[in-house]
């Protein structure tokens, strides 16, 4: 996906299938099924699927209700 930040919307991601690569701060980290990561106000990143299998994940952002 496109480069984005999580200012004002912290979140968490869990990978269900495949592998998702999170290039953040110059380091590309691969996450497979069952693994995930937090996203806080300092997170600026994008996600990639560098594999041949579709990556499926649950991504939840917490936003202020208006």
């Amino acid at each position: 996906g496109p480069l984005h930040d999580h200012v004002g919307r912290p979140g968490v991601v869990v990978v269900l299938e495949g592998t998702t690569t999170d290039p953040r701060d110059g380091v590309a980290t691969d996450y497979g099924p069952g693994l995930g990561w937090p996203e806080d106000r300092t997170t600026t990143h994008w996600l990639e699927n560098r594999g041949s299998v579709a990556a499926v994940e649950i991504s939840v952002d917490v936003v202020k209700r208006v």
Side-chain angles (χ1 to χ4, degrees):
L3 180 66
H4 63 279
D5 65 43
H6 288 269
V7 174
R9 56 182 191 94
V12 64
V13 178
V14 176
V15 179
L16 301 177
E17 298 176 14
T19 302
T20 298
T21 302
D22 181 2
R24 187 188 311 193
D25 301 326
V27 178
T29 304
D30 292 334
Y31 295 94
L35 298 175
W37 61 91
E39 300 169 325
D40 64 18
R41 60 184 167 79
T42 65
T43 302
T44 299
H45 69 148
W46 70 95
L47 301 174
E48 299 178 10
N49 180 354
R50 296 178 177 178
S52 59
V53 176
V56 178
E57 64 184 39
I58 296 173
S59 177
V60 178
D61 289 355
V62 179
V63 296
K64 184 177 179 179
R65 187 175 187 178
V66 292

